[in-house]
Structures are given as C-alpha cells and as structure tokens.
Amino acid sequence: MKSYDIVIIGGGPAGLAAAAAAKKSGIDSILILERDRELGGILNQCIHNGFGLHTFKEELTGPEYARRFIDEVEELKIEYLLNTMVIDISKEKVVTAMNRQEGLFEIQAKAIVLAMGCRERSRGALNIPGYRPAGIFSAGTAQRLVNMEGFMPGRKVVILGSGDIGLIMARRMTLEGAKVQVVAELMPYSGGLKRNIVQCLDDFGIPLKLSHTVVDIRGKYRVEGVTIAEVDTKGKPIPGTEVDYECDTLLLSCGLIPENELSRGMGVEIEPVTSGPVVNESLETNIEGVFACGNVLHVHDLVDYVSEEATTAGHNAARYVKGELEENRGNEIRLIPTGGVRYTVPKTIDAGRMADELTVRFRVGAVFKNCYISVYYDDERVAHRKRPVMAPGEMEEVKIKKENLASYPNLKTITIKIEEA
C-alpha cells in the first residue's frame, strides 16, 4: 500500500488551492485524486467571465481561473491522478480508489482534504408532475453540452429555478440563438447573484417569475410544452394561475447538493442545513486529520471564496501532519446562528488554534433590507454592522480577531444574528 502525508479528494478549484497551500506549508508528499479526465473541475465548462476579481484582481473566465491553479500545482510538482474514482475512505484514513491503469488500489494518508464539490438536484428530487420525455436537462448538463461538447440542447427553452447556473444558461442559450421564454422560481426571491439577474436576464429581456413553479410537462417523446403556475406562501400551486408555454427544452436549476457520500461513509458528522461536514476553525471535521473545503463543505457563490477557504484547509492539513495543531489546544467556543442566519462555517472555534483573523461565512434565510449583522460574545454585543440588502443567494461573512477573543477567556458561545434597524 502506498502512503502519502496528504491525500486530496477532488482536483477542482478547492482541491488545487488546498494542494498548493499544503506544499507551500512544507509538505512534499501530496496526492490529488480526480475522477474527471482533466484538472479544474466545474470551472472548465464555465466559459463566462467574472471569476478572479477577489483573488487575482482581474476578470477571468472559468478555464483561465482554473489554469492559474493548475499551473501552480504543476510548478510545485504536486502529484495527481486523473480518471481515478475514490470509492471509499476509512476512519483510519485509508483511501480506496480505482482507475484503468492500476485497477483497485489503496492509499494510506496521514491527513485527508475533502474537496469533492457538489452536484445538481435532479428532476426526480423535485416531484414535478407530467410525462418524462426527452429535453429535460439540469442547467449544468446543458452548460457542459453547449460549452464543451458542442451540442445545442434545444431551441425553445423554459428554465425552472433561478440559481446562478440557470441564470447564466439563460444568457448562454440566448447567445446561441435559442428563445428563452421564462425563468420560473419557486421562492419569492432569486437564488442567484444580483449581478447575474441583471446581466443574464434583464439585459436580454428574459422575464423572471418569482413564486412560480412547473406544474405539468407535456410531450410523449420530446418536451412539447410546460405549464407554470403561481404558488402560495407554502409553495402550493394556486388554481387559476396556470400559464402554458410551448417549448422543446426544460432546464432545471433547483439547487446544489454537496457530494458527501464518501464523507458519510467514513463517519463525518454532517450539518443538516448545508448538507456539508461540521467543521472547526481549522476546517477540520469531527474525524481528526480530515479537513473539508469548497462546495463539499457548503455551496459558495464565488469561486474566489472557495480558493481562499481551500488555502486555509491545505495549510491546516500541513500543520496537522507536522503535529502543530495539537500543540495549541484551548477553549472551544460554539457558534450559534439565529435570527435569520441559517448556518455558520465553521461551527466551533478553538481560540488557541485559530489564525490571527478568522472569516466566518454564512447565508441568510430570507431577503433583509437595512438590517444589521450582530455578533454577541455570550450575551455581550461586540459587533453591529449595517447591510443595505442581504439575500439567500449571496454569502455573508464576519471577521473574528484572535486578540479580541483573548479578552474573553471563559467565552462559551458566539451568536450571529440579523437585527432590525
């Protein structure tokens, strides 16, 4: 059995950034395992621009952004295996994987970084009534067909769900000559970034119907039309609000689910709200030496934040291998999301092990206007920052400084909540 200091599962933006950070932190024995035929993950099919504004201070396309990290991994001479599927990870950090060259093989790791990304919610998970003809695609599948395979999924399109991929595909299909008739969203707010609503829908005159869903799909062999209806506050269709659209394609952009089957199999504790692992300030899971970052941890809005988070995970995995994480154990503090905050990453903080500044990321559960993000150390409010607009589609963050925590040696909880002006 081969052994490595750090094994990284996934060669997308998270895995690449984690590998580079671990190498720069002094670990040479690193292996990236990637199931696709090339490194870069989902970025390879995201040919639109808007990536890298935070990380590189310039606007890049997805493949350009990925290439920066692929080049870095190759310059650092980090080992990677492509077309390699990981099928199991044990609690003892033994990775079982397979590929054509080596068949089934095992690798012993001292530390593991989970960076498997996420997948799209399928039609089967959505319970849409109607026939099951050809012409129903997830937005990400359509994106791959158009941008990488050179196939056009259809000419008359309806999109269900206003996640970022759905919004971007509304523009992409329009630019390829298709007629995108409507984007329907079940929730009373969009699931995507505001800039994507403006650039992908408003600029092309594509209507966005909030609080609407697909209630029927027609067509025996190929989609011939769909029926969209308005929904009430409980998400139930309102009779009499149905509108028929003639179309040959239905794209689904109804949310992303972190790929945590491997994590669950090895006993990693999963946070029900994010469907990702519960992690501490080092992005370490409940299994010692197993770290998580990127969309496998929680679904991000910007890839720049994925890279930033993965750098932290890679650096801390290197510290774990060197035995540095255990040296500084201190008081564990729980983070409590409440009052409109759905979750926090991380879930706990050990003040002794954290860096000088820690970024806590979270999402809100509804649209809030002219409200405050408040941070409480036990019962004392220590931060109160005004935000003009907060929406579920955009991630929020607060910074926690190590020097401030030193003034609260017996601190038990940090509460993050939204408060009215």
Side-chain angles (χ1 to χ4, degrees):
M1 189 191 299
K2 284 186 182 176
S3 61
Y4 287 84
D5 285 346
I6 300 175
V7 174
I8 295 165
I9 317 297
L16 295 170
K23 181 83 173 192
K24 290 174 187 171
S25 300
I27 302 297
D28 289 325
S29 173
I30 302 169
L31 176 66
I32 302 171
L33 297 174
E34 169 55 51
R35 68 183 176 188
D36 209 346
R37 59 178 185 247
E38 58 209 347
L39 294 173
I42 200 70
L43 289 179
N44 292 321
Q45 68 185 50
C46 300
I47 64 171
H48 52 279
N49 60 6
F51 299 92
L53 290 167
H54 295 264
T55 309
F56 300 111
K57 303 293 183 277
E58 59 180 304
E59 204 168 28
L60 304 171
T61 64
E64 286 172 332
Y65 186 95
R67 177 46 61 184
R68 300 270 175 111
F69 282 95
I70 294 167
D71 289 345
E72 188 175 21
V73 161
E74 288 177 343
E75 279 166 26
L76 292 167
K77 296 185 168 54
I78 295 169
E79 212 178 316
Y80 59 86
L81 288 175
L82 301 176
N83 298 307
T84 301
M85 189 77 177
V86 176
I87 54 176
D88 184 59
I89 310 170
S90 74
K91 274 190 176 173
E92 292 71 40
K93 297 191 268 292
V94 175
V95 179
T96 306
M98 62 191 295
N99 61 28
R100 282 182 178 180
Q101 288 71 37
E102 299 173 60
L104 192 69
F105 60 96
E106 291 183 331
I107 298 163
Q108 176 67 64
K110 289 181 185 171
I112 287 173
V113 179
L114 304 171
M116 292 90 74
C118 58
R119 65 175 185 267
E120 293 179 281
R121 192 169 270 118
S122 65
R123 181 204 165 147
L126 298 174
N127 294 325
I128 304 171
Y131 289 97
R132 294 192 167 218
I136 303 170
F137 302 88
S138 69
T141 302
Q143 188 180 51
R144 186 177 179 95
L145 287 171
V146 175
N147 294 348
M148 293 185 75
E149 314 291 344
F151 293 112
M152 191 62 182
R155 290 289 164 193
K156 269 189 162 180
V157 185
V158 169
I159 298 176
L160 175 61
S162 61
D164 287 312
I165 312 171
L167 298 175
I168 285 159
M169 281 312 292
R171 175 178 64 185
R172 189 78 187 93
M173 297 292 281
T174 303
L175 292 172
E176 286 295 333
K179 169 67 178 163
V180 179
Q181 308 197 70
V182 67
V183 176
E185 169 58 57
L186 179 71
M187 305 305 286
Y189 49 79
S190 169
L193 295 168
K194 179 69 179 167
R195 74 177 190 206
N196 283 337
I197 297 169
V198 173
Q199 293 172 5
C200 301
L201 300 187
D202 298 353
D203 289 359
F204 292 90
I206 299 167
L208 171 62
K209 291 197 169 186
L210 300 175
S211 299
H212 280 72
T213 192
V214 172
V215 293
D216 190 26
I217 299 171
R218 296 186 306 284
K220 190 174 180 184
Y221 301 108
R222 174 85 195 195
V223 175
E224 293 170 6
V226 299
T227 304
I228 287 173
E230 196 175 341
V231 297
D232 58 23
T233 51
K234 293 179 181 173
K236 294 277 186 287
I238 301 169
T241 61
E242 297 90 353
V243 179
D244 289 335
Y245 289 91
E246 198 182 300
C247 63
D248 59 15
T249 306
L250 174 65
L251 300 188
L252 305 173
S253 177
C254 302
L256 300 165
I257 304 164
E259 285 268 22
N260 274 301
E261 282 66 33
L262 289 170
S263 317
R264 286 191 185 89
M266 71 185 298
V268 168
E269 186 186 346
I270 300 294
E271 160 64 55
V273 178
T274 61
S275 298
V278 173
V279 293
N280 62 19
E281 77 298 322
S282 306
L283 300 181
E284 187 180 28
T285 66
N286 60 306
I287 299 177
E288 209 175 277
V290 177
F291 300 79
C293 58
N295 281 353
V296 82
L297 178 55
H298 60 133
V299 176
H300 291 62
D301 51 356
L302 300 178
V303 73
D304 302 70
Y305 297 151
V306 168
S307 304
E308 190 182 307
E309 194 176 85
T311 300
T312 303
H315 173 65
N316 286 322
R319 286 175 66 205
Y320 172 82
V321 171
K322 292 193 246 176
E324 292 171 9
L325 273 187
E326 293 309 302
E327 292 170 4
N328 305 318
R329 279 198 181 275
N331 179 35
E332 189 174 83
I333 305 158
R334 275 190 318 121
L335 274 85
I336 300 173
T338 185
V341 177
R342 294 185 66 227
Y343 68 87
T344 63
V345 171
K347 193 94 184 242
T348 61
I349 294 173
D350 185 325
R353 305 196 324 172
M354 72 178 267
D356 293 337
E357 186 177 75
L358 177 73
T359 302
V360 177
R361 294 206 162 91
F362 61 92
R363 286 185 192 262
V364 294
V367 176
F368 293 93
K369 293 186 178 176
N370 295 320
C371 287
Y372 289 85
I373 298 173
S374 298
V375 180
Y376 288 80
Y377 286 3
D378 286 337
D379 296 323
E380 182 188 338
R381 189 165 76 186
V382 295
H384 192 54
R385 179 164 56 95
K386 189 168 187 181
R387 294 281 284 120
V389 179
M390 287 178 280
E394 307 199 16
M395 252 172 21
E396 301 290 335
E397 62 180 44
V398 295
K399 306 275 190 189
I400 292 177
K401 288 187 163 55
K402 190 171 187 170
E403 61 184 14
N404 294 350
L405 290 180
S407 311
Y408 298 84
N410 300 314
L411 185 63
K412 293 281 185 287
T413 61
I414 296 174
T415 303
I416 300 174
K417 61 165 75 168
I418 308 301
E419 294 186 322
E420 297 289 327

